[in-house]
Each structure stands twice: as structure tokens, then as C-alpha cells.
Amino acid sequence: MAVVSTSLASQLSAIRLSTSKSDISQTLFQNVHSQIRLASSRKGPRGVVTMAGSGKFFVGGNWKCNGTKESITKLVSDLNNVKLEDDVDVVVAPPFLYIDQVRSSLAPRIEISAQNSWVSKGGAFTGEISVEQLKDIGCKWVILGHSERRHVIGEDDQFIGKKAAYALSEGLGVIACIGELLEEREAGKTFDVCFQQLKAYADAVSSWDGIVIAYEPVWAIGTGKVATPEQAQEVHAAVRDWLKKNVSPEVASKTRIIYGGSVNGGNCAELAKKEDIDGFLVGGASLKGPEFGTIVNSVTAKKVAA
């Protein structure tokens, strides 16, 4: 389990006072890295997956607003032909229109997620999709709190928390997204923003069973810029520590914290090696069956070599 030094807050404060805005990003993560320590070196026998949490490696593919019947037919065919490691939970999130097409043709090894859901039972809510409808069509998961819902559509933390609580109460798993904007990162507010977003979930949900946290720095989504493995690990470790202190050690251990933000077949293995990175939420690369398979199979990077 990762722990955060008691001097972290003072270090962050010193960074903000002594560093110009243009240099904060680099200095912040260098200093935080020196303050976050792993509780143990976690050396295990050959074949053991080393993760700070106790949950199974998790990889989700968010197809966003992409695809046609023809292209999705090919993508599903490609996914069905990819050999996937057994010790990974795999989920894909097609656009609403194609959920039934994908569910009926995709191998059952891969579960189906929606990209959004309404905050309560369905009814007179034009353009929305209810949790009940998603369950009826075969969805097991829903992505909530994605930055595009927050910063483009305008959903706030409390509304997202309520949506998560309702989805969980009706039996859907929730991929709960958090993450900071570039200006927030440069201002040294990464932890503040992520903890505020986490608190909105914690205030609303009665149980963390069925929740997977997806840390997606907004500046890395679809930009080609990827947090370094060290930067991602630092935030993931801090998120787990927040759960330990503000929810419970049990929840901190069993809740999977996955990374998203320009993950691809070339960078996934190095990211996967980090102890607090429990998987990925993948955007553009999830539209390429073989590459998505490579990302799923990056779980092997966690297996301890002899």
C-alpha cells in the first residue's frame, strides 16, 4: 500500500510559493515523488501479479461518439479474434445506438458498458438513457464523471455523485472518472481537484462495491500527451491513500484505480508495471482491436520475473 508523508502538504505549499507557474508542473511531481513512498517492495514469486490493491486488473475501452454499423462489425470481429489474458476484467463502451449490436455479437468474455446514464428512474427526460434501460439491454457497467461530461456538457461533482449512487443502487458497476485540467495541474492543484471529485462520490454512495476509479488527467485525453508512469503512480498512490483515510482501509485495498489518457499499445506495459495502476480506461486505441488486445494483455508486465 502506498502512503503519503505527513510533510507532503508543506512540500506542496513550498512548491507553490517558490516556483514560477511555468515550472510548477515539473517541480511538483519531482517533489511529490520524493514524498510518496511504497509501504513495501512487494517482491513476489514468479507469476504473481503485484498490485497495491487486491482487485483484478481492469481494462475498459471507451468508444465515445465513434463508429458505424459497418466499422463496429469489423471491430467486434477483431476483438473476438484477439487472445486475451485470463486474469483481466475487460469492458467496452459502445455508443448507445450500437450497444445491442455489440452485445449480441461480441464474445461474452468482454462485458458491455454504457458511456452515461440518467440520475434517476426514467421518464420524461428527453434524450437521456435510464439505468433500467441499460440493464435491460445487457449492460453491466456505466462510465460516469468523464471529463467530456464535466467540461463540455457541464455536469458538476454533486450531480455525478448522485448518478453514480443511483446506478450502483440498481446493480450497474460504475467506472468513476476523476482528473485535473492542465491549468489545475500547472497550479499545483492536481490532488485538490481529484480529492474534491472523490469526495463527491464518497458523499453520495452507500458502498464502494462495484466502483472502479479512473484517473484521467484532462490534459492527456486525446492529446497524445501521456503522464509518465511515475506521475501516474504518484496520483494513484495519493488516491488510494485518500480512500484509506476518508473511507476505509478495506475500500482502499479492494478498489481498482485505473489510468486513462492517450494509453496505447506502446506505453501500456511501462504504465502497468506501477504498483497502484490497476488497469486502463482506453479511448482512441480501443477502436483498434489488436492494439486494444495488447493493452489488455499488458497485465503480464505486472507479473514478477524470476
Side-chain angles (χ1 to χ4, degrees):
M1 174 70 63
V3 295
V4 181
S5 165
T6 55
S7 65
L8 176 57
S10 61
Q11 289 289 322
L12 291 173
S13 177
I15 293 168
R16 294 187 185 107
L17 290 172
S18 65
T19 310
S20 66
K21 184 174 181 179
S22 63
D23 293 333
I24 277 179
S25 175
Q26 179 179 357
T27 306
L28 170 65
F29 283 104
Q30 288 174 342
N31 280 268
V32 172
H33 182 64
S34 70
Q35 294 301 314
I36 296 177
R37 293 291 184 264
L38 298 178
S40 70
S41 60
R42 292 191 179 270
K43 297 294 184 182
R46 179 193 294 271
V48 174
V49 177
T50 55
M51 296 166 66
S54 58
K56 196 176 184 181
F57 202 72
F58 185 103
V59 177
N62 181 9
W63 297 358
K64 304 190 180 184
C65 190
N66 292 296
T68 63
K69 286 193 295 183
E70 181 180 1
S71 68
I72 285 175
T73 296
K74 182 181 185 306
L75 176 54
V76 168
S77 176
D78 289 343
L79 290 172
N80 286 341
N81 288 321
V82 173
K83 173 82 169 89
L84 301 177
E85 291 288 320
D86 292 331
D87 48 351
V88 187
D89 286 335
V90 186
V91 175
V92 295
F96 289 124
L97 284 171
Y98 305 116
I99 286 176
D100 193 47
Q101 175 189 346
V102 174
R103 184 200 56 79
S104 63
S105 56
L106 186 64
R109 165 77 177 81
I110 303 175
E111 293 187 327
I112 306 298
S113 173
Q115 298 178 21
N116 183 41
S117 63
W118 181 233
V119 71
S120 62
K121 188 174 182 179
F125 304 107
T126 301
E128 288 295 338
I129 306 290
S130 73
V131 169
E132 292 80 5
Q133 290 170 324
L134 295 175
K135 289 175 60 182
D136 183 52
I137 207 169
C139 286
K140 303 295 186 184
W141 296 86
V142 62
I143 299 171
L144 295 174
H146 193 280
S147 65
E148 290 150 9
R149 301 296 304 180
R150 293 177 186 272
H151 301 298
V152 179
I153 307 300
E155 295 181 359
D156 63 29
D157 294 341
Q158 288 67 40
F159 185 63
I160 293 165
K162 290 176 181 177
K163 289 169 73 170
Y166 187 74
L168 291 166
S169 74
E170 293 299 312
L172 274 190
V174 171
I175 302 170
C177 300
I178 62 172
E180 80 282 9
L181 296 166
L182 179 60
E183 54 265 35
E184 293 167 337
R185 178 175 182 260
E186 290 180 338
K189 295 180 179 178
T190 293
F191 290 174
D192 294 340
V193 171
C194 290
F195 295 167
Q196 177 181 313
Q197 293 168 350
L198 282 171
K199 185 177 185 301
Y201 289 118
D203 288 347
V205 305
S206 59
S207 170
W208 285 77
D209 292 341
I211 297 179
V212 171
I213 296 171
Y215 168 59
E216 294 198 300
V218 182
W219 48 270
I221 298 174
T223 63
K225 299 178 181 178
V226 185
T228 66
E230 292 72 26
Q231 288 171 341
Q233 166 62 23
E234 286 161 354
V235 178
H236 283 228
V239 167
R240 201 178 301 280
D241 190 68
W242 187 94
L243 291 173
K244 180 180 178 182
K245 292 177 178 177
N246 294 278
V247 184
S248 75
E250 179 186 8
V251 166
S253 175
K254 72 182 181 181
T255 300
R256 291 172 288 187
I257 307 169
I258 64 177
Y259 173 77
S262 296
V263 177
N264 59 47
N267 58 36
C268 57
E270 290 303 309
L271 288 161
K273 290 177 183 177
K274 295 301 180 180
E275 187 178 16
D276 285 281
I277 296 179
D278 302 325
F280 302 109
L281 183 57
V282 186
S286 69
L287 299 172
K288 305 169 185 176
E291 184 170 12
F292 186 65
T294 297
I295 297 169
V296 170
N297 293 337
S298 68
V299 67
T300 58
K302 279 199 175 304
K303 295 182 179 179
V304 180

